Amino acid sequence: MKSVIRPFVFVAKWVRKHWKLSLLVIILLGIGGFIALRRLNTPEEQLTFVPVQQGDLIKTINVSGVVDAKQKASLHYATAAKVTYIGAKEGDPVKRWQTLARIDVADQQKRIQQDLNNYFNQRMIFEQNADDRGDTIINDALGRQAQQDQKALENAVLDVEIRDIAIRNAALTSPIAGILVSAPSIVPGVVINPTDIFEVVDPNSLIFRAAVDETDIDLVQKGQQATIELDAYPDEPITATVSAIAYRSSQSASGTVFVVEMPLTNTSTQSAIERYRLGMNGDTDIIVDQRKDVLQIPIDSLIERDDKKYARRRTGENSAEEVEIQTGIENEEMIEVISGLSAGDEVVAP
């Protein structure tokens, strides 16, 4: 009996003597047992699979922009003057070279008569001095006098021409046909100022200007198709084509961008007037690449490691193996699979 009890007594004495070490061993054994129990109770991972799809894949870039016009003109007078005629009001269609406004030129007409009189007098002085010199040998003094007479006569001519330009510019005319989208609220008899602007826009030249980041601009080319969605009409997509790409960069809140233009060619003049206004904001998806009838998987199913790409291909009811794949173009949802998977395969869903 003593031989049976003796080992337990020894262990008890050792534990009392080395109680700190004993406590550490007990803690470690408890943690190990807890982890083992958790592993035994953890259910097996249930995998969800999706088939490798085959079909067309379109890659787009999404950028923001505004509605603008290729043909537009902002017109105003250089100085303040009294208005005598208003030829159109805001919203009216205007023809090319149609007069939008005319200012009072009575003062200018009096001044041009004064300039003509001055020219006549200067011409008489020029001719009289020329006759007085006659065949006299031209010395330095006479040469300088002749030059002064010539310049004085030229200045008199310029005064008349400048005044004539001012009279002809009394009529403010539109250089393009279009719609008067902005005009000052003035009537004949009041003074118009240089800050009063007449803005004419050709509605047939409406375009969507989008700002493409410099990291994506190499993907954009003329002729690419795009779909525009304006904030004002989110359920009315507009089909467009890239017509121009800026050669010079611009700065935006996001960094360096390049402006890309897309004409709104599927809008009639009437609908453009009534619906699409300059400055309307929107977004556009530009198709930068597309492939026909290719294998593709959800981009979230892709595994990237050590500069290689993998997918987990189904091997059983709830099992999968990791296979290396080669990929092509991608969009926000799907990525093209060039090799490594076949039609009919299934991969672990994201």
Side-chain angles (χ1 to χ4, degrees):
M1 185 68 178
K2 292 182 178 180
S3 61
V4 174
I5 297 175
R6 190 178 293 115
F8 294 100
V9 174
F10 175 77
V11 171
K13 291 181 178 179
W14 189 91
V15 169
R16 285 196 301 269
K17 185 177 181 179
H18 303 87
W19 65 273
K20 291 183 180 180
L21 180 59
S22 301
L23 180 60
L24 178 60
V25 172
I26 292 172
I27 292 173
L28 293 177
L29 290 174
I31 293 174
F34 177 76
I35 294 174
L37 184 61
R38 285 288 301 272
R39 289 181 176 177
L40 290 175
N41 293 331
T42 299
E44 183 181 6
E45 178 188 10
Q46 296 298 313
L47 302 179
T48 302
F49 300 95
V50 293
V52 176
Q53 300 181 26
Q54 187 163 4
D56 298 342
L57 184 61
I58 299 176
K59 179 179 182 179
T60 64
I61 58 172
N62 180 269
V63 290
S64 300
V66 296
V67 175
D68 202 352
K70 197 76 171 175
Q71 296 290 329
K72 59 182 179 180
S74 294
L75 311 169
H76 64 89
Y77 283 103
T79 59
K82 185 172 70 174
V83 175
T84 60
Y85 171 78
I86 295 294
K89 63 181 181 297
E90 186 173 313
D92 285 349
V94 297
K95 299 178 181 180
R96 189 181 187 190
W97 306 127
Q98 177 178 332
T99 299
L100 304 179
R102 185 179 292 113
I103 57 175
D104 185 9
V105 293
D107 178 69
Q108 297 291 346
Q109 289 172 337
K110 294 293 183 181
R111 290 180 181 276
I112 196 172
Q113 185 60 51
Q114 187 180 51
D115 292 335
L116 286 170
N117 293 338
N118 181 56
Y119 165 75
F120 178 79
N121 292 334
Q122 196 62 48
R123 182 75 184 182
M124 293 298 98
I125 294 173
F126 177 83
E127 292 178 354
Q128 183 63 53
N129 289 341
D131 290 341
D132 292 344
R133 286 190 293 272
D135 296 331
T136 305
I137 297 176
I138 301 298
N139 55 31
D140 291 344
L142 291 177
R144 286 193 296 271
Q145 182 63 50
Q147 289 179 354
Q148 290 175 352
D149 292 343
Q150 180 65 39
K151 294 303 179 184
L153 183 61
E154 291 176 358
N155 286 338
V157 173
L158 290 175
D159 288 340
V160 174
E161 292 177 346
I162 291 172
R163 198 73 64 184
D164 180 63
I165 292 173
I167 292 175
R168 286 188 283 111
N169 285 343
L172 199 66
T173 59
S174 173
I176 62 173
I179 306 298
L180 185 60
V181 298
S182 177
S185 299
I186 55 176
V187 294
V190 303
V191 173
I192 188 171
N193 295 296
T195 55
D196 295 321
I197 307 296
F198 293 81
E199 187 173 10
V200 181
V201 172
D202 179 2
N204 294 315
S205 70
L206 287 181
I207 59 174
F208 187 78
R209 295 185 189 272
V212 179
D213 191 89
E214 62 178 333
T215 58
D216 294 325
I217 194 62
D218 63 319
L219 301 174
V220 181
Q221 299 177 8
K222 292 182 181 179
Q224 289 175 334
Q225 298 297 308
T227 301
I228 300 169
E229 185 178 282
L230 299 178
D231 294 347
Y233 308 109
D235 299 324
E236 300 179 18
I238 304 170
T239 302
T241 303
V242 175
S243 63
I245 304 171
Y247 287 99
R248 177 176 293 179
S249 65
S250 303
Q251 293 298 318
S252 72
S254 60
T256 301
V257 298
F258 290 84
V259 175
V260 174
E261 296 179 357
M262 288 157 275
L264 303 180
T265 55
N266 63 338
T267 60
S268 65
T269 301
Q270 187 65 21
S271 65
I273 295 172
E274 296 176 351
R275 297 178 63 78
Y276 305 118
R277 310 298 176 94
L278 301 189
M280 278 187 170
N281 296 298
D283 297 293
T284 180
D285 288 315
I286 304 174
I287 300 176
V288 296
D289 201 352
Q290 53 185 327
R291 304 289 170 82
K292 298 289 187 179
D293 197 31
V294 296
L295 297 178
Q296 51 191 291
I297 61 173
I299 195 167
D300 289 339
S301 294
L302 186 69
I303 302 170
E304 296 186 77
R305 186 174 61 249
D306 299 331
D307 296 328
K308 294 183 178 181
K309 298 177 180 179
Y310 304 88
R312 296 177 67 189
R313 181 174 57 191
R314 183 172 189 169
T315 57
E317 183 67 24
N318 192 48
S319 60
E321 63 175 351
E322 197 172 274
V323 293
E324 184 179 353
I325 62 174
Q326 301 295 321
T327 61
I329 68 169
E330 63 185 67
N331 56 28
E332 293 182 354
E333 298 178 353
M334 307 295 289
I335 185 168
E336 177 189 6
V337 177
I338 298 175
S339 65
L341 295 172
S342 304
D345 284 344
E346 294 183 11
V347 296
V348 175

